[in-house]
Amino acid sequence: MTTTSADPSATAAASGDLRIWVNGTLYDDPSAATIGAADHGLVVGDGVFETLKVLPAGPFTVGRHLDRLTRSARLLGLPDPDHDQAREAIDAVLADRAYELGKIRITYTGGRGPLGSQAPFGPPTLVVAADSIEPLEPTTAIVTAPWTRNERGALAGVKSISYAENVRALAYAAERGGTEAILINNAGHVCEGTGSNIFFVFGDDLVTPTLEAGPLAGITRALVIEWCGVREADLTEVEARAADEVFITSSLRDVQGVHRWDDKEYPTTRSAELAKIFAERSAADLEP
Ligand code: PLP
């Protein structure tokens, strides 16, 4: 069941467009939306999440995101999230709001737990938040992070809330004029960005790293593979840098051309064509 906090009109001005639902309660005042201080997500980062885009027609690929939330939860040994409840929460945060472009963040943790790494006691915590966002630039600059992605780690391929490594790497990229940091894995192959997958254009060939290399199985990645025909192969940094073009994908970036990778400039013509195909296909169907 969803209940609503106080008078929405009284809080809307202070909170902007951000609206948060926590364990069955919708808060129009985001500062009133809280979880317990002993939540295992807060104490040790024991939780998983999803980020999805909201278009004027509604949220994009909810089904795929909830399925991945379940896969991530299982990999952390958490109980399966309740998809009906998550959908109810999404409807609640979007109710009476029209977003030109928005984002939804779903966070699912083990709930209350010990002040250490032993298993949480539960029940799980489910948080769903919605906010408006600005469209991103069609092309961007990326920077190689000095740290590696561990493709054999327990969190490889898990959309875990333990994202401090990504926060660190993204800050490193931002300090160098990039909007994304690219991580090389321990085997020396290009893996992914902190919040995106990476693709390379070689003539007519499109290539993206295999899932064995440790990237998240991106939903945008899967759609680009399906709609544009992409070969999965692992490339060293040197091989990857020799690409004609490079682009990155994510639920909020869609297909975004890379005009600069570290100190090398790239054209973005083919990336723009692929971005157009993605925009057309995704606008035609919210649940492809
Ligand atoms: N890789 C990582 C580490 C991510 O966090 C994300 C999403 O934020 C992606 C890739 C792209 O995945 P998706 O296209 O499902 O958003």
Side-chain angles (χ1 to χ4, degrees):
M1 204 193 74
T2 295
T3 51
T4 307
S5 73
D7 172 12
S9 60
T11 53
S15 60
D17 289 331
L18 178 62
R19 213 180 203 189
I20 307 181
W21 179 106
V22 183
N23 290 334
T25 301
L26 175 67
Y27 297 88
D28 280 294
D29 173 6
S31 61
T34 54
I35 59 159
D39 193 287
H40 222 219
L42 178 65
V43 176
V44 291
D46 185 17
V48 294
F49 79 103
E50 286 296 324
T51 300
L52 54 136
K53 176 175 70 168
V54 182
L55 297 167
F60 184 61
T61 55
V62 175
R64 285 179 187 251
H65 281 279
L66 291 179
D67 287 346
R68 187 172 64 189
L69 188 75
T70 300
R71 283 201 301 280
S72 295
R74 287 182 183 172
L75 287 165
L76 289 196
L78 298 175
D80 284 0
D82 180 338
H83 287 198
D84 291 339
Q85 191 190 33
R87 283 179 186 277
E88 188 187 321
I90 291 170
D91 289 347
V93 290
L94 294 181
D96 313 320
R97 296 269 168 107
Y99 290 106
E100 195 50 47
L101 187 61
K103 100 186 218 181
I104 286 181
R105 156 94 186 201
I106 305 171
T107 309
Y108 179 71
T109 80
R112 199 167 155 216
L115 301 178
S117 300
Q118 302 87 350
F121 318 132
T125 297
L126 180 65
V127 179
V128 176
D131 204 355
S132 57
I133 55 171
E134 295 296 321
L136 293 171
E137 297 294 331
T139 71
T140 198
I142 60 175
V143 174
T144 310
W147 306 283
T148 56
R149 187 67 105 212
N150 180 5
E151 72 279 16
R152 299 173 63 190
L155 295 184
V158 178
K159 203 160 165 70
S160 139
I161 61 172
S162 297
Y163 255 35
E165 270 197 344
N166 291 328
V167 172
R168 191 67 207 92
L170 191 54
Y172 178 90
E175 284 157 14
R176 287 155 184 80
T179 71
E180 180 59 303
I182 300 304
L183 292 135
I184 311 300
N185 69 14
N186 287 341
H189 293 126
V190 181
C191 181
E192 64 178 342
T194 64
S196 62
N197 292 107
I198 189 161
F199 290 73
F200 309 99
V201 180
F202 292 95
D204 291 335
D205 227 14
L206 301 179
V207 178
T208 196
T210 67
L211 294 182
E212 288 67 42
L216 184 74
I219 286 161
T220 321
R221 174 187 183 275
L223 293 172
V224 170
I225 290 175
E226 198 179 312
W227 292 342
C228 306
V230 178
R231 189 164 60 84
E232 295 174 74
D234 294 325
L235 304 177
T236 64
E237 218 180 318
V238 172
E239 289 167 339
R241 278 183 202 283
D244 301 325
E245 288 193 29
V246 178
F247 63 92
I248 55 177
T249 66
S250 81
S251 295
L252 300 183
R253 292 179 191 264
D254 293 337
V255 171
Q256 190 177 37
V258 168
H259 60 251
R260 182 163 52 83
W261 182 5
D262 294 333
D263 51 6
K264 185 169 176 188
E265 307 279 338
Y266 290 86
T268 55
T269 319
R270 181 84 180 110
S271 310
E273 288 165 10
L274 295 163
K276 189 161 174 281
I277 294 172
F278 189 86
E280 284 166 4
R281 293 288 299 258
S282 55
D285 182 3
L286 285 179
E287 292 290 341

